[in-house]
Amino acid sequence: MAGPQPPPWVHAAFLLCLLGIGRAIEIPMDLPQPPTITKQSVKDHIVDPRDNILIECEAKGNPAPSFHWTRNSRFFNVAKDPRVSMRRRSGTLVIDFRSGGRPEEYEGEYQCFARNKFGTALSNRIRLQVSKSPLWPKENLDPVVVQEGAPLTLQCNPPPGLPSPVIFWMSSSMEPITQDKRVSQGHNGDLYFSNVMVQDMQTDYSCNARFHFTHTIQQKNPFTLKVLTNHPYNDSSLRNHPDMYSARGVAERTPSFMYPQGTSSSQMVLRGTDLLLECIASGVPTPDIAWYKKGGDLPSDKAKFENFNKALRITSVSEEDSGEYFCLASNKMGSIRHTISVRVKAAPYWLEEPENLILAPGEDGRLVCRANGNPKPTVQWMVNGEPLQSAPPNPNREVAGDTIIFRDTQISSRAVYQCNTSNEHGYLLANAFVSVLDVPPRMLSARNQLIRVILYNRTRLDCPFFGSPIPTLRWFKNGQGSNLDGGNYHVYENGSLEIKMIRKEDQGIYTCVATNILGKAENQVRLEVKDPTRIFRMPEDQTAKRGTTVQLECRVKHDPSLKLTVSWLKDDEPLYIGNRMKKEDDSLTIFGVAERDHGSYTCIASTELDQDLAKAYLTVLADQTTPTNRLAALPKGRPDRPRDLELTDLAERSVRLTWIPGDDNNSPITEYVVQFEEDQFQPGIWHDHSKFPGSVNSAVLPLSPYVNYQFRVIAVNEVGSSHPSLPSERYRTSGAPPEFNPGDVKGEGTRKNNMEITWTPMNATSAFGPNLRYIVKWRRRETRETWNNVTVWGSRYVVGQTPVYVPYEIRVQAENDFGKGPEPDTVIGYSGEDYPRAAPTDVKVRVLNSTAISLQWNRVYSDTVQGQLREYRAYYWRESSLLKNLWVSQKRQQASFSGDRLRGVVSRLFPYSNYKLEMVVVNGRGDGPRSETKEFTTPEGVPSAPRRFRVRQPNLQTITLEWDHPEHPNGILTGYSLRYTAFNGTKVGKQMVENFSPNDTKFTVQRADPVSRYRFTLSARTQVGSGEAVTEESPAPPNEATPTAAYTNNQADIATQGWFIGLMCAIALLVLILLIVCFIKRSRGGKYPVREKKDVPLGPEDPKEEDGSFDYSDEDNKPLQGSQTSLDGTIKQQESDDSLVDYGEGGEGQFNEDGSFIGQYTVKKDKEETEGNESSEATSPVNAIYSLA
């Protein structure tokens, strides 16, 4: 019987890249073949004593094989032991203890034999052991007394368990012991103190052992420390001292090793396992540990440091990792080192594992069993489970060490051969059968597969085949040309065709042809080349304040035929989109940014074939606040990851998960998120399973059948999410038939002669068993024809050669290897649509108003629609305007009338225009033929608003208005209407109305007063009426404020009066003249002859100084009192009424010739006399000029 065909996507792209090259040839299950072991328990099989024992052994073959077992190399009679049974169609042993019995009685070495008439296959030798978790011996522990600064080792010595328990240290109150480079747990479980401090007395120390299979934790009696010290611990000044050891009187010591002892040791490790080297040192201060390898560097790709650098782990050790390693312990007092010599041994490992040999009668072949190890393993051959030496002789068979050679094989040569290679560290057992068949070529994959691949990628086209003799395979493209091999193509031995770099021209149909002497077979693969997905606008790093909004862009270009999914990661973990976030196709928006939003954001744009990603960093600026208490001053952070995940209460559909919380880092944990991963459908991808409050650390998780679960836990506080915990152990639930069928089943035509049936595929948690597939059934509705059916592995199936748009009944049922799902619901689907064949008839147009018409038509016959009637659609366009010389756009517009309607309204037309109109029927495929063209004319309407309405105010007496004609007159303009109103604050005047002819576009308004403003409303008119109005206000005067009195308004308006402007010009001219005179006088010097205003010669009696200067004693020419002329020609008021002459008393009062004062003041004037000569004339600018002249 033929096995199920693999789903099409199995052959796509890189799924074949690694698997298709070297896979062994499989014989189809409908052909005779010897047994093959397909499943077996591990070699060291440890079982839980509380459960029934299960020893697995499954095999395939044709005919189906029978099974028997040996125990400790002797036949194990299953029928004689009532507790032991064998599963149906399987060799799996079940040992049931529900009725009593001790599991220890069944410990031993088991081996399974699967046999049919063509040979016998063997399982590994399975060593069955029962898990043991002995109790801790009772003991009374005295307090441990130690001097401060001394080293200390607290020994755990757990009871021996199978397997060894997991050790961890806690206090008696179940608080974890904080570990650092001073205090840490060794690999042997002991707790090491490099130096003891007085604060170590604050807790006790209890060793805990967790046993895996019994899911129990045993606790040793706690150790109590008594530390002898010179200083009390509550001395905060010493505790915070930068050199705490010396401040507390602890003597500093050079390092010494606590583990291992001495200066050198050796260690043996098996190839492929992990090498763990450990060095723990004491000393004051606490030593640092560094690791080195003599003669080379540590393997950077495999080496990692653990336990605060005290342990070096090298993963997957190989022979080149042997040699000498040393650890260096150092502090400021000195350093020491310990050398560890590492020897790498090896259990047997395959160099060439024997593979099944399929031959035609008369062909030659060979089986090769080549292994290596340290020491070198020995090879033993067996046939059908018996040593080859004791088997009947076969002249066509020759043994040459690790190779068996077959010549001129015949049908009688069929058998199963075993190769056993072993040394002191282990063994390998392999089965390989020899099958002799005469079979013409046949193809094993689905026909006419579709493979989609991204441009410029590498891909492989697989063409699984079978035949005996083994056929040769050749590839052709588009049914022509020579065999494809070389250049951009490469054909592997198994027939897979590799295309090294996909180009657009590689798209097409590829044909593989398998040929042997008995015939040939061929298959086709259609290759489609898709454009890559690229992020062309990436998110950028941003800095934001709390409470603001941030947008991260992520614009993507992708192949339009592929479905694009854009997702976001935060700190490399899936981002939870809460109500503060909005995710769109091209951006992520965060509203009200908080401190927990700080971090990296990664945009992932993916299709089913490829993906691209881009990362940006968001920095959130925290508020600078002063902490109000000590707790608020502590920095808050994301919680540490939970640890020590444990699965208990294992059941078919549930399991209990327990974890130990990590540090909350000063922000309480509010929530735990439990995630799961399964390794069948989406390995490596984690999904949210459930959420629990922050106070919970144990929960029962509901499970689905046939899922190999692995769990992890994430802690959440107000700052953010922790890193995920380390994964738990895996737990596979048993299988079952599907409990429900796929949803969203649809049947729609993609072409006029097909129907595509689609559904939402079921995920890993709803598959419930292996080989999930779908039984698709369909038949025409309302007929009694039989159901058509097909089994599909994907999520779509296309039914071809269907009539145009007929209803079908559709059912999709899930099925796996355990059985079928429930009876599915029937869904109605339709085959593909074709374009409608008829147009609406008797179309009537009635004008409703200047912008709308009503339509009426006769419906088309249903058989002419050829699909689902979506709508009737009117196409219309503006042919011309009734106004001369007015250009119009003739762009076609449309109006849709959904459903089977017979009338509708078309609105938003332009008035005063000629229109044309056509109607069509629309279905899912598109438009049908167009109806006859109808013409109609819209009547005159009201115009649109006047354009560019401008209000200007050239002065305080007038306001000027200007405007342009409306953009859409919608008829013949008859004029314009203007309404305007004066307003002053909250006071509004009487409304005034002005009407203008259609050619007027200006108007001037005389203001009634200089204070009020005006509001103008302008509209255009046709014979139908006034159209849309536009409103503007006159500009506000500069520095306008709310008037409180008439005086305030008058003062604000003086600056614009003509008389005031003239006065200011005259004053400016006088000031200019004054400046010129000052400049001339200053250039002539400080002393100069002065004549009186009378033009008379000087007499001898005139008082005269020797230097030719005169006193200013004439009262007519004395300087002005109370004022001073500055150099810039302005008159400045003195701070007092005293004249400078008043200060001439006591001498001649000589002044420097600096231009500030001209002449000498020698006569003292009475203050009263000076004041009596003041007059209004003296303050005028003209008199000031005369006084200087």
Side-chain angles (χ1 to χ4, degrees):
M1 174 176 179
Q5 296 295 329
W9 49 265
V10 170
H11 305 288
F14 289 102
L15 192 60
L16 308 170
C17 199
L18 300 177
L19 302 179
I21 298 176
R23 71 181 170 91
I25 295 176
E26 296 275 345
I27 300 179
M29 287 303 298
D30 61 332
L31 296 178
Q33 57 185 287
T36 301
I37 300 291
T38 58
K39 189 176 184 181
Q40 56 184 316
S41 295
V42 295
K43 294 178 180 178
D44 290 313
H45 188 32
I46 303 175
V47 297
D48 190 336
R50 301 172 302 176
D51 297 335
N52 293 335
I53 295 176
L54 204 70
I55 311 177
E56 291 184 310
C57 177
E58 296 183 9
K60 66 177 182 178
N62 190 3
S66 60
F67 298 87
H68 74 271
W69 286 83
T70 63
R71 178 185 175 198
N72 299 329
S73 301
R74 300 178 62 184
F75 174 72
F76 183 53
N77 194 336
V78 175
K80 284 189 176 182
D81 194 330
R83 296 192 186 95
V84 182
S85 62
M86 195 180 301
R87 283 183 175 174
R88 186 183 178 190
R89 298 179 183 176
S90 168
T92 298
L93 287 181
V94 180
I95 307 176
D96 192 343
F97 298 101
R98 285 178 295 184
S99 57
R102 297 180 63 251
E104 290 80 3
E105 296 176 357
Y106 291 89
E107 290 185 323
E109 188 177 78
Y110 292 78
Q111 192 168 25
C112 173
F113 293 74
R115 172 177 299 159
N116 68 9
K117 65 180 181 179
F118 300 120
T120 302
L122 277 64
S123 73
N124 290 322
R125 297 188 298 276
I126 301 169
R127 184 185 178 195
L128 178 67
Q129 295 176 281
V130 178
S131 173
K132 298 177 179 61
S133 53
L135 297 177
W136 222 301
K138 298 288 185 179
E139 56 181 340
N140 294 320
L141 299 176
D142 296 328
V144 179
V145 181
V146 61
Q147 183 69 37
E148 185 175 18
L152 175 65
T153 302
L154 298 181
Q155 294 184 346
C156 181
N157 296 327
L162 184 68
S164 298
V166 176
I167 304 299
F168 57 96
W169 287 80
M170 303 185 77
S171 67
S172 58
S173 59
M174 300 305 290
E175 293 290 333
I177 300 300
T178 302
Q179 300 188 26
D180 52 26
K181 75 173 184 177
R182 184 179 67 86
V183 182
S184 63
Q185 175 185 321
H187 184 62
N188 60 1
D190 295 346
L191 189 65
Y192 293 90
F193 295 76
S194 294
N195 51 76
V196 175
M197 301 301 294
V198 69
Q199 60 261 35
D200 296 332
M201 290 193 301
Q202 290 186 330
T203 185
D204 54 12
Y205 301 85
S206 177
C207 182
N208 294 263
R210 186 177 69 199
F211 293 90
H212 174 74
F213 279 91
T214 58
H215 305 288
T216 58
I217 296 177
Q218 296 189 28
Q219 188 176 50
K220 186 176 183 178
N221 288 340
F223 290 95
T224 303
L225 297 188
K226 182 177 180 182
V227 180
L228 306 178
T229 179
N230 297 326
H231 297 277
Y233 176 64
N234 59 5
D235 189 344
S236 60
S237 63
L238 295 181
R239 189 166 68 248
N240 299 325
H241 196 278
D243 192 353
M244 183 176 63
Y245 293 103
S246 60
R248 298 187 59 81
V250 177
E252 296 179 333
R253 293 183 292 104
T254 57
S256 62
F257 283 110
M258 305 175 70
Y259 181 88
Q261 301 289 335
T263 59
S264 64
S265 59
S266 63
Q267 193 166 332
M268 189 273 288
V269 63
L270 290 180
R271 181 183 186 272
T273 62
D274 288 358
L275 168 65
L276 183 67
L277 304 178
E278 192 171 33
C279 282
I280 301 175
S282 66
V284 179
T286 303
D288 294 314
I289 305 294
W291 290 90
Y292 305 91
K293 183 180 182 182
K294 288 185 178 180
D297 297 328
L298 296 176
S300 58
D301 56 334
K302 299 193 296 182
K304 61 179 180 178
F305 303 105
E306 299 176 353
N307 197 18
F308 311 98
N309 269 29
K310 298 177 185 179
L312 169 65
R313 181 181 298 274
I314 300 177
T315 58
S316 189
V317 170
S318 57
E319 285 78 358
E320 56 265 24
D321 294 317
S322 60
E324 289 191 348
Y325 296 78
F326 67 90
C327 58
L328 184 69
S330 60
N331 63 11
K332 66 180 183 179
M333 300 300 295
S335 64
I336 59 171
R337 75 178 188 175
H338 182 96
T339 302
I340 305 174
S341 178
V342 175
R343 295 173 294 116
V344 178
K345 299 291 185 177
Y349 57 92
W350 291 117
L351 297 177
E352 188 174 352
E353 185 177 1
E355 295 182 349
N356 295 333
L357 190 60
I358 302 170
L359 301 173
E363 281 191 316
D364 299 339
R366 64 177 58 198
L367 292 177
V368 179
C369 176
R370 191 165 296 144
N372 198 5
N374 188 3
K376 182 73 175 176
T378 60
V379 175
Q380 179 190 10
W381 284 101
M382 294 182 288
V383 56
N384 296 328
E386 300 294 334
L388 194 62
Q389 297 85 342
S390 59
N394 186 343
N396 299 328
R397 180 181 63 208
E398 177 186 349
V399 179
D402 57 11
T403 304
I404 299 179
I405 302 171
F406 299 91
R407 295 184 176 89
D408 191 22
T409 55
Q410 301 301 321
I411 299 295
S412 59
S413 300
R414 291 183 293 194
V416 182
Y417 289 82
Q418 289 82 33
C419 171
N420 185 78
T421 174
S422 61
N423 65 11
E424 62 187 71
H425 302 297
Y427 75 93
L428 292 174
L429 177 66
N431 292 275
F433 63 68
V434 176
S435 182
V436 183
L437 296 170
D438 258 340
V439 180
R442 61 162 71 176
M443 293 297 170
L444 303 182
S445 62
R447 302 187 65 81
N448 302 321
Q449 303 169 51
L450 170 63
I451 295 180
R452 299 179 297 175
V453 67
I454 296 298
L455 186 67
Y456 306 128
N457 278 3
R458 177 190 298 249
T459 191
R460 295 182 190 274
L461 306 183
D462 194 18
C463 182
F465 63 95
F466 182 77
S468 181
I470 301 298
T472 58
L473 191 78
R474 293 178 299 166
W475 285 89
F476 304 92
K477 182 182 177 185
N478 294 331
Q480 57 187 358
S482 58
N483 180 33
L484 297 177
D485 199 3
N488 198 35
Y489 301 101
H490 179 68
V491 179
Y492 288 93
E493 291 182 2
N494 71 334
S496 293
L497 174 66
E498 179 188 59
I499 306 177
K500 298 176 182 177
M501 188 176 72
I502 292 292
R503 300 162 298 185
K504 284 289 186 181
E505 53 267 29
D506 291 324
Q507 184 164 291
I509 296 177
Y510 291 78
T511 303
C512 57
V513 180
T515 308
N516 68 8
I517 58 174
L518 301 178
K520 72 174 183 177
E522 65 178 45
N523 200 356
Q524 290 185 338
V525 179
R526 182 159 60 94
L527 182 67
E528 289 185 358
V529 180
K530 305 295 183 181
D531 292 327
T533 302
R534 293 291 178 264
I535 299 176
F536 67 89
R537 181 166 294 179
M538 303 181 181
E540 298 179 351
D541 294 344
Q542 296 191 40
T543 301
K545 295 182 179 179
R546 290 180 56 184
T548 59
T549 299
V550 169
Q551 186 177 58
L552 300 172
E553 280 193 305
C554 182
R555 297 194 177 182
V556 183
K557 181 180 180 182
H558 73 291
D559 194 292
S561 65
L562 301 177
K563 181 181 179 181
L564 176 68
T565 301
V566 178
S567 58
W568 289 84
L569 304 179
K570 182 179 185 295
D571 298 329
D572 299 325
E573 297 293 335
L575 174 64
Y576 170 70
I577 305 295
N579 54 10
R580 291 190 307 106
M581 297 185 182
K582 181 180 180 182
K583 183 175 82 70
E584 298 176 315
D585 290 342
D586 58 357
S587 66
L588 173 69
T589 305
I590 306 175
F591 302 96
V593 170
E595 288 183 4
R596 62 178 179 269
D597 298 322
H598 181 95
S600 65
Y601 289 80
T602 304
C603 172
I604 302 177
S606 58
T607 65
E608 54 265 45
L609 297 183
D610 69 335
Q611 71 174 28
D612 193 15
L613 56 85
K615 179 181 287 190
Y617 200 84
L618 174 62
T619 302
V620 180
L621 301 178
D623 294 338
Q624 299 297 323
T625 57
T626 302
T628 58
N629 53 56
R630 181 176 178 272
L631 183 61
L634 295 174
K636 295 181 179 181
R638 297 189 301 170
D640 292 344
R641 70 174 71 190
R643 58 188 177 86
D644 295 344
L645 271 65
E646 182 179 10
L647 298 179
T648 57
D649 301 342
L650 305 176
E652 287 189 1
R653 295 292 184 93
S654 67
V655 69
R656 176 174 290 279
L657 175 65
T658 305
W659 63 90
I660 296 177
D663 194 332
D664 64 5
N665 291 323
N666 307 315
S667 178
I669 295 174
T670 59
E671 184 180 57
Y672 287 103
V673 179
V674 177
Q675 297 181 326
F676 75 94
E677 179 260 354
E678 53 81 26
D679 58 2
Q680 183 178 1
F681 287 88
Q682 293 180 303
I685 297 179
W686 291 88
H687 307 272
D688 286 351
H689 185 283
S690 48
K691 297 181 180 180
F692 300 98
S695 58
V696 171
N697 73 326
S698 180
V700 176
L701 308 178
L703 306 179
S704 296
Y706 201 72
V707 179
N708 196 14
Y709 282 100
Q710 189 177 32
F711 299 98
R712 69 182 187 185
V713 182
I714 299 174
V716 181
N717 63 12
E718 67 173 6
V719 179
S721 301
S722 71
H723 292 294
S725 67
L726 297 178
S728 69
E729 58 185 327
R730 286 198 178 272
Y731 176 57
R732 178 183 287 280
T733 54
S734 58
E739 294 183 357
F740 50 89
N741 293 308
D744 197 22
V745 178
K746 297 178 182 177
E748 298 175 344
T750 59
R751 297 182 179 178
K752 66 180 181 179
N753 59 351
N754 75 0
M755 177 179 65
E756 183 181 58
I757 303 173
T758 60
W759 56 92
T760 300
M762 299 162 64
N763 56 29
T765 58
S766 57
F768 287 15
N771 288 328
L772 176 66
R773 51 200 179 267
Y774 305 97
I775 301 173
V776 182
K777 298 181 180 180
W778 72 95
R779 71 179 178 185
R780 288 187 60 171
R781 188 182 184 186
E782 298 177 354
T783 64
R784 296 190 176 182
E785 62 184 28
T786 58
W787 288 91
N788 301 284
N789 68 84
V790 67
T791 301
V792 179
W793 276 262
S795 61
R796 60 186 289 270
Y797 181 76
V798 178
V799 180
Q801 304 302 318
T802 62
V804 173
Y805 199 67
V806 295
Y808 280 84
E809 294 178 338
I810 301 170
R811 295 178 181 176
V812 180
Q813 184 179 27
E815 182 185 28
N816 61 26
D817 286 357
F818 288 92
K820 297 180 180 180
E823 194 65 26
D825 296 331
T826 301
V827 176
I828 304 301
Y830 286 84
S831 58
E833 301 177 73
D834 202 355
Y835 294 107
R837 291 188 282 109
T841 58
D842 197 17
V843 179
K844 297 177 181 178
V845 179
R846 184 167 63 91
V847 177
L848 300 178
N849 52 45
S850 60
T851 61
I853 61 170
S854 69
L855 294 176
Q856 187 173 349
W857 60 89
N858 291 339
R859 64 166 50 92
V860 297
Y861 293 107
S862 58
D863 59 342
T864 65
V865 177
Q866 298 198 113
Q868 181 183 4
L869 176 61
R870 299 289 180 89
E871 62 186 31
Y872 288 92
R873 184 178 297 167
Y875 290 99
Y876 60 95
W877 61 97
R878 191 181 182 191
E879 188 72 18
S880 63
S881 172
L882 295 178
L883 293 173
K884 295 182 179 180
N885 301 324
L886 181 63
W887 180 88
V888 299
S889 171
Q890 295 183 342
K891 180 181 178 181
R892 288 184 174 239
Q893 296 176 285
Q894 66 183 46
S896 297
F897 310 103
S898 300
D900 190 12
R901 297 170 56 181
L902 299 179
R903 58 180 56 86
V905 175
V906 178
S907 58
R908 303 181 68 178
L909 302 174
F910 285 100
Y912 214 52
S913 301
N914 295 317
Y915 275 89
K916 290 184 178 181
L917 177 142
E918 297 172 342
M919 290 203 68
V920 297
V921 179
V922 181
N923 64 11
R925 189 74 184 275
D927 295 0
R930 300 181 182 247
S931 69
E932 61 176 338
T933 303
K934 295 291 183 178
E935 298 183 1
F936 61 92
T937 301
T938 54
E940 195 171 5
V942 296
S944 61
R947 292 179 299 167
R948 291 190 284 276
F949 185 32
R950 305 175 295 281
V951 179
R952 295 189 177 92
Q953 185 173 290
N955 51 57
L956 294 177
Q957 285 76 35
T958 60
I959 298 175
T960 301
L961 310 179
E962 295 182 2
W963 62 87
D964 292 344
H965 296 302
E967 181 180 5
H968 300 292
N970 295 336
I972 301 174
L973 289 181
T974 60
Y976 296 92
S977 295
L978 174 69
R979 299 187 303 275
Y980 60 96
T981 306
F983 65 93
N984 187 354
T986 58
K987 296 180 180 180
V988 180
K990 180 181 178 182
Q991 186 180 60
M992 308 296 290
V993 178
E994 297 285 349
N995 291 314
F996 309 101
S997 69
N999 295 326
D1000 290 337
T1001 58
K1002 291 183 180 180
F1003 180 64
T1004 301
V1005 177
Q1006 297 296 326
R1007 298 182 59 153
D1009 61 79
V1011 178
S1012 299
R1013 296 177 61 192
Y1014 287 81
R1015 184 176 294 112
F1016 301 94
T1017 301
L1018 180 68
S1019 61
R1021 300 190 311 272
T1022 62
Q1023 292 180 358
V1024 178
S1026 296
E1028 181 183 356
V1030 59
T1031 300
E1032 294 287 346
E1033 292 181 358
S1034 62
N1039 302 321
E1040 183 185 50
T1042 303
T1044 58
Y1047 174 78
T1048 305
N1049 290 328
N1050 293 336
Q1051 287 294 101
D1053 296 337
I1054 290 177
T1056 61
Q1057 301 298 318
W1059 63 268
F1060 181 76
I1061 296 174
L1063 177 61
M1064 290 298 101
C1065 291
I1067 292 175
L1069 180 61
L1070 291 176
V1071 171
L1072 179 61
I1073 296 173
L1074 179 61
L1075 287 173
I1076 294 172
V1077 173
C1078 289
F1079 179 76
I1080 295 173
K1081 292 298 184 180
R1082 183 174 181 182
S1083 64
R1084 291 172 58 187
K1087 292 185 178 182
Y1088 48 88
V1090 179
R1091 287 181 171 80
E1092 295 181 357
K1093 288 183 285 183
K1094 298 179 182 180
D1095 188 17
V1096 293
L1098 292 173
E1101 69 279 2
D1102 292 333
K1104 180 181 179 182
E1105 295 293 337
E1106 293 180 357
D1107 59 359
S1109 63
F1110 290 85
D1111 293 335
Y1112 284 94
S1113 58
D1114 191 351
E1115 292 183 0
D1116 295 333
N1117 294 324
K1118 62 189 174 190
L1120 298 173
Q1121 294 293 325
S1123 64
Q1124 176 185 346
T1125 304
S1126 67
L1127 291 179
D1128 61 359
T1130 61
I1131 307 300
K1132 295 184 178 179
Q1133 185 72 25
Q1134 293 288 347
E1135 293 180 1
S1136 68
D1137 293 336
D1138 296 339
S1139 170
L1140 290 176
V1141 180
D1142 296 340
Y1143 299 94
E1145 184 178 14
E1148 293 184 353
Q1150 298 292 330
F1151 286 83
N1152 293 330
E1153 297 178 359
D1154 59 357
S1156 299
F1157 301 97
I1158 304 174
Q1160 294 180 340
Y1161 294 89
T1162 58
V1163 180
K1164 182 178 186 285
K1165 299 292 182 179
D1166 292 337
K1167 186 174 182 181
E1168 293 78 4
E1169 180 182 358
T1170 305
E1171 291 175 353
N1173 290 332
E1174 290 179 354
S1175 66
S1176 61
E1177 183 182 353
T1179 61
S1180 75
V1182 178
N1183 289 340
I1185 294 174
Y1186 280 126
S1187 67
L1188 292 175

